[in-house]
Amino acid sequence: MPVNPLYAHAYVPYQSSSNTFPMDEALMQGTIFPELTNLYNPSANYWKEES
């Protein structure tokens, strides 16, 4: 990431991926990369601080 990023410019950090889903799993997950999956839990309290 840049030290002094400019406003209104998109910066995407480099990602390294060592694992991939098998093709049938990738179709079900919507991505081939496991790091991009995120389980949706509507009842989770995402604003709660971790202790």
Side-chain angles (χ1 to χ4, degrees):
M1 294 294 292
V3 176
N4 297 316
L6 299 173
Y7 293 114
H9 282 88
Y11 294 99
V12 179
Y14 289 106
Q15 294 178 330
S16 60
S17 178
S18 58
N19 298 333
T20 57
F21 285 131
M23 194 54 63
D24 57 340
E25 176 87 13
L27 289 171
M28 296 298 292
Q29 294 290 338
T31 179
I32 196 167
F33 304 108
E35 295 86 8
L36 298 179
T37 58
N38 187 7
L39 297 176
Y40 175 68
N41 186 355
S43 63
N45 185 358
Y46 294 107
W47 298 105
K48 182 180 178 182
E49 291 185 23
E50 294 181 25
S51 47

